């Protein structure tokens, strides 16, 4: 009777151990599946990160180019304002020379005093 109880106990223990092994193997298989999914997602995220870094570099290059163009435009504007101010000053001098009858100054500047009503 004791032997039979021990035998039944061993069978129960073996069945429980077998069930635990089966459960552990199932868990291991699920873990392997999750690892594969995570590896695919990690690769996808890494690819997206590289794409974003490339886009960021392209945008930084474009920003630098636009800043350089802006500086060139500002310099051209300043140069244009300077040239315009110089031309206006020269025109004012010519008008004053005509008004003063300084024909020699007007001729040296390449203007015709007779057109403007000068001497």
């Amino acid at each position: 009777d004791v032997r039979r109880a021990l035998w039944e106990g061993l069978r129960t223990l073996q069945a429980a151990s077998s069930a635990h092994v089966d459960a552990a193997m199932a868990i291991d298989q699920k873990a392997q599946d999750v690892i594969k999914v995570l590896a695919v997602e990690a690769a996808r995220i890494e690819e997206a990160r590289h794409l974003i870094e490339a886009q960021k570099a392209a945008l930084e290059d474009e920003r630098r180019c636009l800043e350089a163009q802006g500086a060139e435009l500002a310099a051209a504007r300043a140069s244009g304002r300077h040239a315009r101010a110089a031309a206006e000053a020269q025109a004012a001098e010519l008008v004053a020379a005509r008004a003063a009858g300084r024909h020699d100054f007007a001729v040296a500047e390449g203007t015709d005093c007779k057109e403007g009503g000068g001497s």
Side-chain angles (χ1 to χ4, degrees):
D1 217 22
V2 172
R3 211 183 254 179
R4 182 185 254 181
L6 277 172
W7 188 252
E8 289 299 320
L10 281 173
R11 276 192 167 174
T12 304
L13 183 60
Q14 183 182 12
S17 292
S18 180
H20 282 94
V21 168
D22 290 345
M25 288 175 66
I27 289 171
D28 185 57
Q29 184 59 47
K30 291 291 183 184
Q32 293 299 323
D33 293 344
V34 169
I35 287 170
K36 288 177 186 175
V37 169
L38 290 176
V40 168
E41 288 301 313
R44 190 175 297 150
I45 289 169
E46 186 67 17
E47 183 179 327
R49 185 181 66 80
H50 286 299
L51 179 63
I52 289 169
E53 286 177 357
Q55 290 172 342
K56 179 183 174 188
L59 287 173
E60 287 173 353
D61 287 345
E62 186 176 350
R63 179 186 53 82
R64 281 191 290 275
C65 181
L66 289 173
E67 285 175 350
Q69 289 175 351
E72 289 174 7
L73 286 174
R77 261 193 208 132
S79 176
R81 278 189 230 122
H82 177 70
R84 181 177 168 190
E88 288 173 353
Q90 187 178 20
E93 287 179 25
L94 289 173
V95 168
R98 283 183 180 166
R102 292 180 34 202
H103 177 68
D104 59 333
F105 179 76
V107 170
E109 291 298 319
T111 60
D112 185 359
C113 290
K114 293 179 184 169
E115 280 183 26
S119 57

